Coordinates of all heavy atoms in Angstrom, one line a residue:
M13 N -99.1 24.1 161.6 CA -97.8 24.3 162.0 C -97.1 25.1 160.9 O -97.1 24.7 159.8 CB -97.1 23.0 162.4 CG -95.7 23.1 162.8 SD -95.1 21.5 163.3 CE -94.0 21.9 164.6
R14 N -96.3 26.1 161.3 CA -95.6 26.9 160.3 C -94.3 26.2 159.9 O -93.6 25.7 160.9 CB -95.3 28.3 161.0 CG -94.9 29.3 160.0 CD -94.8 30.6 160.8 NE -93.3 30.8 160.9 CZ -92.7 31.6 161.8 NH1 -93.4 32.2 162.6 NH2 -91.4 31.6 161.8
S15 N -94.0 26.2 158.7 CA -92.7 25.6 158.2 C -91.5 26.6 158.6 O -91.7 27.8 158.6 CB -92.7 25.3 156.8 OG -92.8 26.6 156.0
V16 N -90.4 26.0 158.9 CA -89.3 26.7 159.3 C -88.2 26.7 158.0 O -87.9 25.6 157.5 CB -88.5 26.2 160.5 CG1 -87.2 26.9 160.8 CG2 -89.5 26.1 161.7
E17 N -87.9 27.8 157.6 CA -86.8 28.0 156.6 C -85.4 27.8 157.1 O -85.2 28.3 158.2 CB -86.9 29.4 155.9 CG -88.2 29.7 155.2 CD -88.4 28.8 154.0 OE1 -87.5 28.6 153.2 OE2 -89.6 28.4 153.8
P18 N -84.6 27.1 156.3 CA -83.3 26.9 156.9 C -82.5 28.2 156.8 O -82.7 29.1 156.0 CB -82.7 25.9 155.8 CG -83.5 26.0 154.6 CD -84.9 26.4 155.1
V19 N -81.6 28.4 157.7 CA -80.8 29.6 157.9 C -79.4 29.2 157.4 O -78.8 28.2 157.8 CB -80.7 30.1 159.3 CG1 -79.7 31.2 159.4 CG2 -82.1 30.4 159.8
I20 N -78.8 30.0 156.4 CA -77.4 29.8 156.0 C -76.6 30.8 156.8 O -76.8 32.0 156.8 CB -77.4 30.1 154.5 CG1 -78.3 29.0 153.8 CG2 -76.0 30.0 154.0 CD1 -78.5 29.4 152.2
V21 N -75.6 30.1 157.4 CA -74.6 31.0 158.1 C -73.3 30.8 157.3 O -73.0 29.8 156.8 CB -74.6 30.6 159.6 CG1 -75.8 30.9 160.2 CG2 -74.2 29.2 159.8
G22 N -72.4 31.8 157.5 CA -71.1 31.8 157.0 C -70.0 32.2 158.1 O -70.4 32.7 159.1
W23 N -68.8 31.9 157.8 CA -67.8 32.1 158.7 C -66.9 33.2 158.2 O -66.6 33.2 157.0 CB -66.9 30.9 159.0 CG -65.8 31.2 159.9 CD1 -65.9 31.4 161.2 CD2 -64.4 31.3 159.7 NE1 -64.7 31.6 161.8 CE2 -63.7 31.6 160.8 CE3 -63.7 31.2 158.5 CZ2 -62.4 31.8 160.8 CZ3 -62.4 31.3 158.5 CH2 -61.7 31.7 159.7
I24 N -66.6 34.3 158.9 CA -65.8 35.4 158.5 C -64.5 35.4 159.2 O -64.4 35.0 160.4 CB -66.6 36.7 158.6 CG1 -67.0 36.9 160.1 CG2 -67.8 36.7 157.8 CD1 -67.5 38.3 160.3
F25 N -63.5 35.8 158.5 CA -62.1 35.9 159.1 C -61.9 37.2 159.7 O -62.2 38.3 159.1 CB -61.1 35.7 157.9 CG -59.7 35.9 158.4 CD1 -59.0 35.1 159.2 CD2 -59.0 37.1 157.9 CE1 -57.7 35.3 159.6 CE2 -57.7 37.3 158.3 CZ -57.1 36.4 159.1
R26 N -61.4 37.3 160.9 CA -61.1 38.5 161.5 C -59.6 38.8 161.3 O -58.7 38.0 161.6 CB -61.4 38.5 163.0 CG -62.8 38.3 163.3 CD -63.6 39.5 163.0 NE -65.0 39.3 163.4 CZ -66.0 40.1 163.1 NH1 -65.8 41.1 162.3 NH2 -67.2 39.8 163.5
P27 N -59.2 40.0 160.8 CA -57.8 40.3 160.5 C -56.8 40.1 161.7 O -55.7 39.7 161.5 CB -57.8 41.8 160.2 CG -59.2 42.1 159.7 CD -60.0 41.1 160.5
E28 N -57.3 40.2 162.9 CA -56.5 40.1 164.0 C -56.1 38.6 164.3 O -55.3 38.2 165.2 CB -57.0 40.7 165.3 CG -58.3 40.1 165.9 CD -59.5 40.8 165.2 OE1 -59.4 41.5 164.2 OE2 -60.6 40.5 165.7
R29 N -56.8 37.6 163.7 CA -56.5 36.2 163.8 C -55.1 35.9 163.3 O -54.7 36.4 162.3 CB -57.6 35.3 163.1 CG -58.9 35.5 163.5 CD -59.2 34.8 164.9 NE -58.9 33.4 164.8 CZ -59.8 32.5 164.6 NH1 -61.2 32.8 164.4 NH2 -59.6 31.2 164.6
A30 N -54.4 35.1 164.0 CA -53.0 34.8 163.6 C -52.8 33.2 163.4 O -51.7 32.8 163.5 CB -52.1 35.3 164.7
D31 N -53.9 32.5 163.2 CA -53.8 31.1 163.1 C -53.8 30.6 161.6 O -54.2 29.4 161.4 CB -54.8 30.3 163.9 CG -56.2 30.9 164.0 OD1 -56.4 31.9 163.1 OD2 -57.0 30.5 164.7
N32 N -53.5 31.4 160.7 CA -53.3 31.0 159.2 C -54.5 30.2 158.7 O -54.3 29.1 158.1 CB -52.0 30.2 159.2 CG -50.8 31.0 159.5 OD1 -50.6 32.2 159.2 ND2 -49.9 30.4 160.2
I33 N -55.7 30.8 158.8 CA -56.8 30.1 158.2 C -57.5 31.0 157.2 O -58.7 30.8 156.9 CB -57.7 29.6 159.4 CG1 -58.0 30.7 160.4 CG2 -57.3 28.4 160.0 CD1 -59.0 30.3 161.5
E34 N -56.8 31.9 156.6 CA -57.4 32.9 155.6 C -58.0 32.2 154.4 O -59.0 32.7 153.9 CB -56.3 33.8 155.1 CG -55.6 34.7 156.1 CD -54.4 34.1 156.8 OE1 -54.1 33.0 156.4 OE2 -53.8 34.7 157.6
E35 N -57.6 31.0 154.1 CA -58.2 30.4 152.9 C -59.6 29.9 153.1 O -60.3 29.5 152.2 CB -57.4 29.1 152.5 CG -57.3 27.9 153.5 CD -56.3 28.0 154.5 OE1 -55.7 29.0 154.7 OE2 -56.1 26.9 155.1
H36 N -60.1 30.0 154.4 CA -61.5 29.6 154.7 C -62.5 30.8 154.8 O -63.6 30.6 155.0 CB -61.5 28.8 156.0 CG -60.6 27.6 156.0 ND1 -60.8 26.6 155.0 CD2 -59.5 27.3 156.7 CE1 -59.9 25.7 155.3 NE2 -59.1 26.0 156.3
V37 N -62.0 31.9 154.5 CA -62.8 33.1 154.6 C -64.0 33.1 153.7 O -64.0 32.7 152.6 CB -62.0 34.4 154.2 CG1 -62.8 35.6 154.1 CG2 -60.8 34.6 155.1
G38 N -65.2 33.3 154.3 CA -66.4 33.4 153.6 C -67.1 32.0 153.2 O -68.1 32.0 152.7
K39 N -66.5 31.0 153.6 CA -67.1 29.7 153.4 C -68.4 29.5 154.2 O -68.5 30.0 155.4 CB -66.2 28.5 153.7 CG -65.0 28.4 152.7 CD -64.2 27.2 153.1 CE -63.1 27.0 152.0 NZ -62.2 25.9 152.4
Q40 N -69.3 28.8 153.6 CA -70.5 28.5 154.4 C -70.3 27.5 155.5 O -69.4 26.6 155.4 CB -71.6 28.0 153.4 CG -72.2 29.0 152.5 CD -73.4 28.5 151.8 OE1 -73.7 27.3 151.7 NE2 -74.1 29.4 151.2
V41 N -71.1 27.6 156.6 CA -70.9 26.7 157.7 C -72.0 25.6 157.7 O -73.1 25.8 157.5 CB -71.2 27.6 159.0 CG1 -71.2 26.7 160.3 CG2 -70.1 28.7 159.1
R42 N -71.5 24.4 158.0 CA -72.4 23.2 158.1 C -72.9 23.1 159.6 O -74.1 22.9 159.7 CB -71.6 22.0 157.7 CG -72.5 20.7 157.8 CD -71.8 19.4 157.5 NE -71.1 19.5 156.1 CZ -70.2 18.7 155.7 NH1 -69.7 17.8 156.5 NH2 -69.7 18.9 154.5
S43 N -72.0 23.3 160.5 CA -72.5 23.2 161.9 C -71.6 24.0 162.8 O -70.5 24.2 162.5 CB -72.6 21.8 162.4 OG -71.3 21.2 162.4
V44 N -72.1 24.4 164.0 CA -71.3 25.1 165.0 C -71.6 24.4 166.3 O -72.8 24.1 166.7 CB -71.9 26.6 165.2 CG1 -71.1 27.3 166.3 CG2 -71.8 27.3 163.8
G45 N -70.4 24.0 166.9 CA -70.5 23.4 168.2 C -71.0 24.2 169.4 O -71.0 25.5 169.3
K46 N -71.5 23.6 170.5 CA -71.9 24.3 171.6 C -70.8 24.6 172.7 O -70.9 25.5 173.4 CB -73.1 23.6 172.2 CG -74.3 23.6 171.4 CD -75.4 22.8 172.1 CE -76.7 22.8 171.1 NZ -77.8 22.1 171.9
A47 N -69.9 23.5 172.8 CA -68.9 23.6 173.8 C -67.8 24.7 173.5 O -67.4 24.8 172.3 CB -68.2 22.3 174.0
V48 N -67.5 25.5 174.5 CA -66.6 26.6 174.3 C -65.2 26.2 174.9 O -65.2 25.6 176.0 CB -67.0 27.9 175.1 CG1 -66.0 29.0 174.9 CG2 -68.4 28.3 174.4
D49 N -64.1 26.4 174.2 CA -62.8 26.0 174.8 C -62.3 27.1 175.7 O -63.0 28.1 176.0 CB -61.8 25.7 173.6 CG -61.4 26.9 172.8 OD1 -61.7 28.0 173.1 OD2 -60.7 26.7 171.8
D50 N -61.1 26.9 176.2 CA -60.4 27.8 177.2 C -60.3 29.2 176.6 O -60.1 30.2 177.3 CB -59.1 27.3 177.6 CG -59.3 26.0 178.4 OD1 -60.4 25.8 179.0 OD2 -58.2 25.3 178.6
E51 N -60.2 29.3 175.3 CA -59.9 30.6 174.6 C -61.3 31.2 174.2 O -61.3 32.3 173.5 CB -59.0 30.5 173.5 CG -57.6 30.0 174.0 CD -56.7 29.8 172.7 OE1 -57.0 30.2 171.6 OE2 -55.6 29.3 172.9
G52 N -62.4 30.6 174.5 CA -63.7 31.2 174.1 C -64.1 30.8 172.7 O -65.1 31.5 172.2
R53 N -63.5 29.8 172.2 CA -63.9 29.5 170.7 C -64.7 28.1 170.7 O -64.7 27.4 171.6 CB -62.7 29.3 169.9 CG -61.9 30.6 169.7 CD -60.6 30.5 168.9 NE -59.8 29.4 169.5 CZ -58.6 29.1 169.0 NH1 -58.2 29.6 167.9 NH2 -57.9 28.2 169.6
V54 N -65.5 28.0 169.6 CA -66.3 26.8 169.4 C -65.8 26.2 168.1 O -65.2 26.7 167.3 CB -67.8 27.2 169.2 CG1 -68.4 27.7 170.5 CG2 -68.1 28.1 168.1
A55 N -66.1 24.8 168.0 CA -65.8 24.1 166.8 C -66.7 24.5 165.7 O -68.0 24.5 165.9 CB -65.8 22.6 167.0
V56 N -66.3 24.7 164.5 CA -67.1 25.2 163.4 C -66.7 24.2 162.3 O -65.5 24.1 161.8 CB -66.8 26.6 163.0 CG1 -67.6 26.9 161.7 CG2 -67.2 27.5 164.1
V57 N -67.7 23.5 161.7 CA -67.5 22.6 160.5 C -68.0 23.4 159.3 O -69.1 23.8 159.2 CB -68.2 21.2 160.6 CG1 -68.0 20.4 159.4 CG2 -67.7 20.5 161.9
L58 N -67.1 23.6 158.3 CA -67.4 24.3 157.1 C -68.0 23.4 156.1 O -68.0 22.2 156.2 CB -66.1 25.0 156.5 CG -65.4 26.0 157.6 CD1 -64.1 26.4 156.9 CD2 -66.3 27.1 158.0
S59 N -68.6 24.0 155.0 CA -69.3 23.2 154.1 C -68.5 22.2 153.3 O -69.0 21.2 152.9 CB -70.0 24.1 153.0 OG -69.0 25.0 152.5
D60 N -67.2 22.5 153.3 CA -66.3 21.4 152.6 C -65.7 20.4 153.6 O -64.9 19.6 153.2 CB -65.1 22.2 151.9 CG -64.2 22.9 152.9 OD1 -64.4 22.9 154.1 OD2 -63.2 23.5 152.4
G61 N -66.2 20.4 154.9 CA -65.8 19.4 155.9 C -64.7 19.8 156.8 O -64.3 19.2 157.7
T62 N -64.1 21.0 156.4 CA -63.0 21.5 157.2 C -63.5 21.9 158.6 O -64.5 22.6 158.8 CB -62.3 22.7 156.6 OG1 -61.9 22.4 155.3 CG2 -61.2 23.2 157.4
C63 N -62.7 21.5 159.7 CA -63.1 21.9 161.0 C -62.2 23.0 161.5 O -60.9 22.8 161.4 CB -63.0 20.7 161.9 SG -63.7 21.0 163.6
V64 N -62.6 24.1 162.0 CA -61.9 25.2 162.5 C -62.4 25.6 163.9 O -63.6 25.3 164.2 CB -61.8 26.4 161.5 CG1 -61.2 26.1 160.2 CG2 -63.2 27.0 161.4
R65 N -61.6 26.3 164.6 CA -62.1 26.9 165.9 C -62.4 28.4 165.6 O -61.5 29.0 165.0 CB -61.1 26.8 167.0 CG -60.6 25.3 167.2 CD -61.5 24.4 167.9 NE -62.0 24.8 169.2 CZ -62.9 24.1 169.8 NH1 -63.4 23.1 169.3 NH2 -63.3 24.5 171.0
A66 N -63.5 28.9 166.1 CA -63.8 30.2 165.9 C -64.6 30.8 167.0 O -65.2 30.1 167.8 CB -64.6 30.4 164.6
Y67 N -64.6 32.1 167.2 CA -65.4 32.8 168.2 C -66.8 32.9 167.7 O -67.0 33.1 166.4 CB -64.8 34.2 168.4 CG -63.4 34.1 169.0 CD1 -62.3 34.4 168.3 CD2 -63.2 33.8 170.3 CE1 -61.1 34.4 168.8 CE2 -62.0 33.8 170.9 CZ -60.8 34.0 170.1 OH -59.6 34.0 170.6
R68 N -67.7 32.8 168.5 CA -69.2 32.8 168.1 C -69.5 34.1 167.2 O -70.3 34.1 166.3 CB -70.1 32.8 169.2 CG -70.1 31.4 169.9 CD -71.1 31.4 171.0 NE -71.0 30.1 171.8 CZ -71.7 29.1 171.6 NH1 -72.7 29.1 170.7 NH2 -71.6 28.0 172.3
H69 N -68.9 35.2 167.5 CA -69.2 36.5 166.8 C -68.6 36.4 165.3 O -68.9 37.3 164.5 CB -68.7 37.6 167.5 CG -67.1 37.9 167.6 ND1 -66.5 37.3 168.7 CD2 -66.3 38.3 166.8 CE1 -65.2 37.5 168.5 NE2 -65.0 38.1 167.4
E70 N -67.8 35.4 165.0 CA -67.2 35.3 163.7 C -68.1 34.4 162.8 O -67.9 34.3 161.6 CB -65.9 34.5 163.8 CG -64.8 35.4 164.4 CD -63.5 34.8 164.5 OE1 -63.4 33.6 164.9 OE2 -62.5 35.4 164.1
V71 N -69.2 33.9 163.3 CA -70.1 33.1 162.6 C -71.4 34.1 162.3 O -72.0 34.5 163.3 CB -70.6 31.8 163.2 CG1 -71.6 31.1 162.4 CG2 -69.4 30.9 163.5
V72 N -71.7 34.4 161.1 CA -72.7 35.4 160.8 C -73.7 34.8 159.8 O -73.4 33.9 159.0 CB -72.1 36.6 160.2 CG1 -71.2 37.3 161.2 CG2 -71.3 36.4 158.9
V73 N -74.9 35.3 159.9 CA -76.0 34.9 158.9 C -75.7 35.4 157.6 O -75.3 36.6 157.4 CB -77.4 35.4 159.4 CG1 -78.4 35.0 158.4 CG2 -77.7 34.7 160.8
G74 N -75.8 34.6 156.6 CA -75.6 35.0 155.2 C -74.6 34.4 154.6 O -74.1 34.3 153.5

């Protein structure tokens, strides 16, 4: 069986966002939820434990 390497993902801030979460730009992601809210966002838990709502395209590998 082939071992699987962990993937590190980060959350990126989009300039058009207006929800005052700039201080979280570039933080690593601990987990991404599966359920999408009415605005098309998912729950994202950052490495420091902060929970934010983000669009899936805002979570990127790296």
Side-chain angles (χ1 to χ4, degrees):
M13 181 177 214
R14 195 176 103 202
S15 65
V16 177
E17 294 295 321
V19 175
I20 297 173
V21 295
W23 179 71
I24 57 170
F25 172 74
R26 298 289 185 192
E28 65 271 12
R29 294 287 298 264
D31 43 5
N32 299 319
I33 47 180
E34 296 90 0
E35 69 269 16
H36 303 301
V37 174
K39 288 185 179 177
Q40 288 188 346
V41 173
R42 183 183 301 165
S43 65
V44 178
K46 292 182 181 181
V48 179
D49 68 11
D50 293 339
E51 297 178 9
R53 298 179 301 178
V54 295
V56 176
V57 179
L58 304 175
S59 58
D60 64 359
T62 303
C63 187
V64 296
R65 305 292 297 177
Y67 298 102
R68 289 183 188 260
H69 67 271
E70 293 180 311
V71 179
V72 296
V73 176

